[in-house]
Amino acid sequence: MLQTVVILAIFAKFFTKKYKIDMNPLSARLQSLSPSETFAMAQKSNELKVLGIDVINMSVGEPDFATPKHIKEAAKKAINNNFSFYSPVPGFPELRKAVCAKLKNENNLDFEPAQIVISGGAKQSLCNVILSIVDKGEEVIIPAPYWVSYPEMVKIAEGKSIFVYAGIEQDYKITAKQLEEAITAKTRALILCSPSNPTGSVYSREELKSLADVLAKHPNIFVISDEIYEHINYVGKHESIAQFEKIRERVIVINGVSKGYAMTGWRIGWIAAPKWIASACGLLQGQYTSGASSISQKAAEAAYTGNQDCVEKMRVAFERRKNLITKLLKEIPGLKVNDPKGAFYIFVECSHYVGKQFEGKKIETATDLAMYLLEQGHVACVGGDAFGAPGHIRFSYATSDKNIEKAVARVKNTLAKLN
Ligand code: PMP
Ligand code: GLU
């Protein structure tokens, strides 16, 4: 009997290999999907840490601060008050109202609760919107450098990403002319991220207006405006492209509590959108995840309705760190560094070092350079290739001043070893 089983198993293995039959084939959709490079580098950094290596992790972008106390207290209260049941699919009405009040007070934008959908993080909000409005073969314009997940989300929707590149010489921001040139009859949406991950660039009101003027001429195009870094802004007032009346009905604002309130693990994001898009996102979410965590929603409500001093305190710390890291990186020969205006990333042009060698091994790409810095310098950053910007590396400076100083010194010494 055992003999028969073994013979059959060997035969099955031979047969599937010979005829290339995959016993567990993934859908075509999944086969083309790339893993998130930001999380991948964070994982590699953690693997070295587990081995006892003192790695400074500047790869994944999340505030290093604890969630403010009054927000945590609201969550504890929600648990004690038995907020343990399914939440309404688009979110608790109180939170949706709080989001509307925030939009009015901080952004002077009028929305009603029916236009707000709360989700499990801004990532889900983005995916909901893309899946709701993009059909197979439709084009989505993505300014590059872009956040790693946008093109992957477009792939899930079977849409086509159209990249518009803006390098350091234009402060990583696309112009109205570039946008105009990228538009075709198939364009369905533009994904705009300001303040930007990965570059830290912030579009001014005038720059947004010039993009809005182009979009006004194309009434079929939607703007997915990712404003998750709104509160981490070094230019003063946050400007949203939703403020321009002529395109207002076609702008979907994406935001959430992850970054500004140091709540990445609570997983609350939201959209503010035309009602029909909000309803579509609710429909989609109702079938595959349901309402977001009830406890986290209560915490997010406290974040929006409570004292906002915590937000400013964290912003000031990020600004101080931004000034420090910018100054230190500018002292490293061969790197080109601009002045980020928001978020907690600095995107460095490092092509001078790509092509160099360490112990006979060539650094072929910026991702190789990031790996080299991790393995030899014990600093984790992310190669620009994943952000559509070869020849760059991204550092997240959401870490202490001491770590920033130590990390940049390590980067400087490690780069100096290349020849
Ligand atoms: N947009 C951008 C640009 C981001 O950097 C992130 C961070 N992951 C998100 C959206 C998603 O944020 P969340 O943690 O709320 O899913
Ligand atoms: N937004 C963060 C980053 O870019 C978190 C990681 C992610 O969501 O991919 O590092």
Side-chain angles (χ1 to χ4, degrees), residues 58-249:
M58 301 177 87
S59 58
V60 77
E62 64 175 337
D64 54 327
F65 299 108
T67 301
K69 190 160 180 276
H70 68 280
I71 300 176
K72 293 193 284 196
E73 290 306 325
K76 289 183 201 168
K77 199 168 145 206
I79 294 173
N80 291 337
N81 289 343
N82 295 315
F83 274 89
S84 52
F85 301 94
Y86 284 128
S87 60
V89 171
F92 284 128
E94 297 81 358
L95 177 55
R96 294 162 84 198
K97 266 189 221 150
V99 168
C100 290
K102 172 252 173 289
L103 285 161
K104 183 69 196 160
N105 300 336
E106 293 186 351
N107 314 100
N108 196 26
L109 294 173
D110 291 299
F111 282 95
E112 30 177 304
Q115 296 178 274
I116 312 297
V117 178
I118 311 294
S119 301
K123 215 175 216 175
Q124 188 186 0
S125 304
L126 279 157
C127 229
N128 278 348
V129 172
I130 292 170
L131 284 169
S132 296
I133 62 173
V134 177
D135 260 326
K136 189 172 178 166
E138 287 184 331
E139 294 176 357
V140 178
I141 297 176
I142 303 180
Y146 48 74
W147 179 46
V148 290
S149 294
Y150 299 147
E152 302 306 315
M153 291 174 178
V154 171
K155 268 189 210 165
I156 297 173
E158 298 181 66
K160 186 173 171 207
S161 294
I162 302 294
F163 303 113
V164 178
Y165 189 75
I168 191 167
E169 64 292 344
Q170 53 188 91
D171 197 20
Y172 302 114
K173 292 185 275 190
I174 64 160
T175 61
K177 185 167 174 281
Q178 284 180 294
L179 174 63
E180 181 94 68
E181 283 166 4
I183 292 172
T184 73
K186 286 191 184 159
T187 308
R188 185 64 167 158
L190 160 74
I191 305 183
L192 199 69
C193 184
S194 178
S196 157
N197 176 4
T199 65
S201 295
V202 172
Y203 284 82
S204 67
R205 186 181 183 281
E206 293 65 38
E207 286 162 343
L208 291 175
K209 185 174 177 304
S210 68
L211 299 180
D213 288 344
V214 172
L215 294 159
K217 293 187 267 172
H218 301 274
N220 298 327
I221 303 179
F222 292 89
V223 186
I224 302 172
S225 178
D226 186 345
E227 302 179 22
I228 191 83
Y229 294 98
E230 162 177 18
H231 290 119
I232 307 166
N233 190 320
Y234 316 125
V235 291
K237 192 172 162 275
H238 171 71
E239 300 288 351
S240 170
I241 196 164
Q243 70 187 282
F244 303 106
E245 271 312 314
K246 48 192 172 185
I247 58 161
R248 174 66 204 282
E249 275 307 304

Side-chain angles (χ1 to χ4, degrees), residues 36 38-39 60-61 123 147 197 229 259 345 394:
S36 166
T38 49
F39 282 138
V60 77
K123 215 175 216 175
W147 179 46
N197 176 4
Y229 294 98
K259 314 289 172 170
Y345 306 104
R394 186 194 80 172

